[in-house]
Amino acid sequence: MPVSRVLPLLLVFGFAVTQSVQAQPAKKPVDDKFRTYRLEAKQTGEQSNKVNQMKNGSVNLDPPSAEDKAALLEVARNYVYPVTHQEYYFTPDGPELVARTGESRSPATILRNFRAQLLLPLPASPTTTQLAYIREFGAAAVAAIDEVLAKSPPSVIRINALQLLVAVAETGAPAAFDRTVSLLQTKDEPNHPLEVLYYALNAAEGALGAYDPARGTKWVNKTKHYQLVCLVDDVVQKVPACVIEKAYIPDKPVGEASLTTDPKSKPAEGSLTPEQVDVAQIFRLQAIRALAKVRTDIVTNDTLDKERRPLFTLCRVAVSDPALVPAPSVKELGEAVIGLGTMVPSESVNADVLGLVIAKGVSDFILEKSASGRVLNKDDVQRTHWKLYGMRLKNAYTAWEQSIQKTKLPKAAKDTLSGIAQIGVTAVFDPLTKQTENGTVNLDKAAVDNWYTNRFNAMKGAFDLYTDKPDFKIVGSVRRQ
């Protein structure tokens, strides 16, 4: 998206666009009214030392004592509350708070220090007691973040607090999972803050990526996981109205243009402005990234009386289902294809249809790249991103092919899915990782298209993604080649 259009759109959202600019001296002191949002932590040295012992795994937090909880909360506040401190902000021309950058005291420093206090539940570590620390410090951190948000601060403070929530969600802490669900549950309310929706989707990506059903009842149960998957899935299928409304920029003569975040009447379907298309795709892209973190193609609640099939939604994106408005961008296609290579299909998946969807998604994703070797328009990804996408796709489908062999799918189904995975890696994904400095890539799009055509011509009947339910039909460009 051209810079001339990106910056106005980000301003409409209230995003902290100054994160990427050089530091500037404060032009005047921060107004007193901003001081009302300031919160101060009161941690003691003893509390700090005790929490460090918890982090090192030398304190048993199953269960935590009242004293343990008090120490965790105060230390969490010590890391979270600085987002409300005026010395991290300045006012360039008016009453708006703007984040400092490039200085020792900046929101970036707050986030870096906060992340240093967190632990990630990697496979080889941490210990059982450290897992308890992740859970309990996560709960304390979310409580401190909520204390900041409860004061209804300006958007820049709210954004920085929500970025801390994203970091907690990446640890898999149940409290962050719950808070993300609650934030997304309000996505369809009138005048919903766009920055809250955007960072809630970021948090959902972290939470779904860190979800582990094997951790037990003290963590996230299937019902909560199902709720979050449904909320994210809903955003992919239909971008919330607040996104469309707040992206509306009225046409005015040159010199009279202005930005507005006032709600507008929703345009008729198919008549979105270019700005609305861009913004809708930005939010949906983040939702797709979050949905792509789900590892199973069917998600159920604890009582098994409800289910959602996120694989179907990603398939709809990959084939540019015409019911998705606006049509998916190149980046959305890429993220959807990566997601398809993350979910291990169940026995009820129709492998022939899934294979066609993957092939079509890959073919459409590289259409312009294979035609020109370089970026053609604003919807395409930049040169360095091609190599990154190539590596992500290669890693995903290399691992996916191995996982396919461990499933209970029939041999013919395994062969079909392994076949498209292998062709994708050799003909497209690996070549993308070897792109030259001038943008040249030796892609073999014909190999993917030929595989698609041969499979398509051999198929008979409807394009049902699942063999157990006829409701999940693939429509759109999968039928055309």
Side-chain angles (χ1 to χ4, degrees):
M1 191 188 307
V3 172
S4 61
R5 289 179 63 188
V6 172
L7 292 180
L9 292 175
L10 292 179
L11 288 171
V12 169
F13 298 162
F15 282 2
V17 296
T18 55
Q19 291 289 341
S20 61
V21 301
Q22 295 296 317
Q24 302 177 35
K27 295 185 178 181
K28 65 178 183 178
V30 177
D31 293 27
D32 286 340
K33 63 182 178 180
F34 291 129
R35 301 181 195 277
T36 62
Y37 305 111
R38 187 181 183 97
L39 293 170
E40 297 284 359
K42 300 177 181 179
Q43 76 166 21
T44 65
E46 182 180 356
Q47 288 175 324
S48 178
N49 290 334
K50 186 167 187 177
V51 170
N52 282 334
Q53 291 175 356
M54 297 175 188
K55 182 181 178 183
N56 294 332
S58 57
V59 175
N60 183 10
L61 292 173
D62 276 322
S65 66
E67 184 180 343
D68 292 336
K69 289 184 176 182
L72 286 162
L73 179 57
E74 209 56 55
V75 171
R77 286 170 172 166
N78 185 64
Y79 285 98
V80 171
Y81 281 2
V83 300
T84 69
H85 294 177
Q86 65 184 40
E87 54 265 34
Y88 292 87
Y89 305 92
F90 65 92
T91 53
D93 295 306
E96 293 296 327
L97 283 175
V98 181
R100 288 183 184 273
T101 59
E103 301 179 8
S104 59
R105 285 187 173 182
S106 69
T109 304
I110 297 172
L111 181 58
R112 183 167 58 251
N113 293 340
F114 181 72
R115 285 186 177 277
Q117 191 63 26
L118 301 174
L119 289 177
L120 294 175
L122 301 176
S125 62
T127 64
T128 301
T129 50
Q130 287 177 309
L131 275 175
Y133 169 79
I134 293 174
R135 185 188 69 227
E136 299 302 329
F137 185 77
V142 170
I145 292 168
D146 279 343
E147 289 170 345
V148 172
L149 298 178
K151 296 177 75 69
S152 298
S155 61
V156 69
I157 292 179
R158 189 162 59 238
I159 287 171
N160 290 321
L162 290 170
Q163 286 181 326
L164 301 184
L165 177 64
V166 173
V168 182
E170 292 170 357
T171 71
F177 208 103
D178 293 344
R179 192 67 180 96
T180 302
V181 168
S182 67
L183 288 175
L184 286 176
Q185 284 175 331
T186 61
K187 60 183 172 56
D188 295 317
E189 293 181 356
N191 295 323
H192 189 280
L194 292 191
E195 69 272 18
V196 174
L197 174 60
Y198 185 79
Y199 284 101
L201 291 171
N202 272 266
E205 179 182 3
L208 292 173
Y211 172 68
D212 185 352
R215 291 202 188 110
T217 58
K218 292 183 179 181
W219 287 76
V220 179
N221 59 31
K222 288 184 178 180
T223 296
K224 189 65 68 173
H225 179 246
Y226 166 79
Q227 288 178 326
L228 185 54
V229 170
C230 288
L231 289 165
V232 173
D233 191 276
D234 288 343
V235 175
V236 177
Q237 295 192 48
K238 184 179 180 181
V239 179
C242 65
V243 174
I244 302 298
E245 292 166 354
K246 293 190 178 184
Y248 176 68
I249 302 178
D251 292 328
K252 287 190 176 183
V254 176
E256 297 182 18
S258 63
L259 299 177
T260 179
T261 57
D262 295 334
K264 303 294 179 181
S265 298
K266 185 177 180 181
E269 185 172 308
S271 62
L272 300 180
T273 67
E275 290 79 15
Q276 288 173 320
V277 170
D278 289 335
V279 174
Q281 289 175 338
I282 288 172
F283 278 80
R284 191 172 58 194
L285 174 65
Q286 185 54 51
I288 292 169
R289 286 173 173 162
L291 199 63
K293 295 295 185 181
V294 181
R295 299 178 182 86
T296 57
D297 67 307
I298 302 176
V299 176
T300 62
N301 61 353
D302 283 307
T303 54
L304 304 180
D305 60 335
K306 295 180 181 180
E307 69 168 27
R308 184 65 68 104
R309 303 195 178 193
L311 180 72
F312 176 64
T313 301
L314 292 179
C315 283
R316 292 183 62 201
V317 176
V319 301
S320 299
D321 188 322
L324 297 175
V325 179
S329 65
V330 171
K331 287 185 178 181
E332 290 177 272
L333 292 178
E335 296 295 337
V337 172
I338 290 173
L340 295 176
T342 301
M343 297 179 186
V344 179
S346 59
E347 295 178 67
S348 58
V349 168
N350 186 330
D352 290 327
V353 173
L354 179 57
L356 284 180
V357 169
I358 293 172
K360 189 60 180 175
V362 171
S363 179
D364 288 350
F365 175 62
I366 62 168
L367 178 61
E368 293 188 352
K369 186 63 176 176
S370 63
S372 68
R374 60 184 66 246
V375 173
L376 293 183
N377 61 48
K378 70 176 180 59
D379 291 323
D380 217 340
V381 288
Q382 298 299 318
R383 182 178 304 162
T384 53
H385 291 152
W386 281 115
K387 297 185 74 170
L388 177 59
Y389 268 109
M391 184 59 68
R392 292 175 62 202
L393 285 159
K394 179 181 177 180
N395 291 342
Y397 278 86
T398 299
W400 189 65
E401 183 188 358
Q402 297 174 355
S403 299
I404 292 295
Q405 302 305 321
K406 300 176 183 179
T407 67
K408 296 181 179 180
L409 290 170
K411 183 179 184 304
K414 292 180 179 179
D415 291 344
T416 295
L417 298 179
S418 294
I420 187 57
Q422 292 172 2
I423 289 176
V425 170
T426 58
V428 177
F429 309 151
D430 187 56
L432 280 176
T433 68
K434 299 174 182 177
Q435 178 179 249
T436 62
E437 289 297 323
N438 64 6
T440 302
V441 180
N442 187 25
L443 298 176
D444 187 4
K445 183 174 180 293
V448 177
D449 292 341
N450 290 339
W451 187 96
Y452 175 96
T453 300
N454 292 336
R455 292 285 175 172
F456 182 91
N457 292 337
M459 284 186 63
K460 297 179 181 180
F463 290 85
D464 296 335
L465 182 60
Y466 284 93
T467 59
D468 63 331
K469 287 188 177 182
D471 302 333
F472 300 93
K473 297 183 184 298
I474 300 299
V475 298
S477 60
V478 72
R479 295 179 178 272
R480 301 191 301 272
Q481 182 66 24

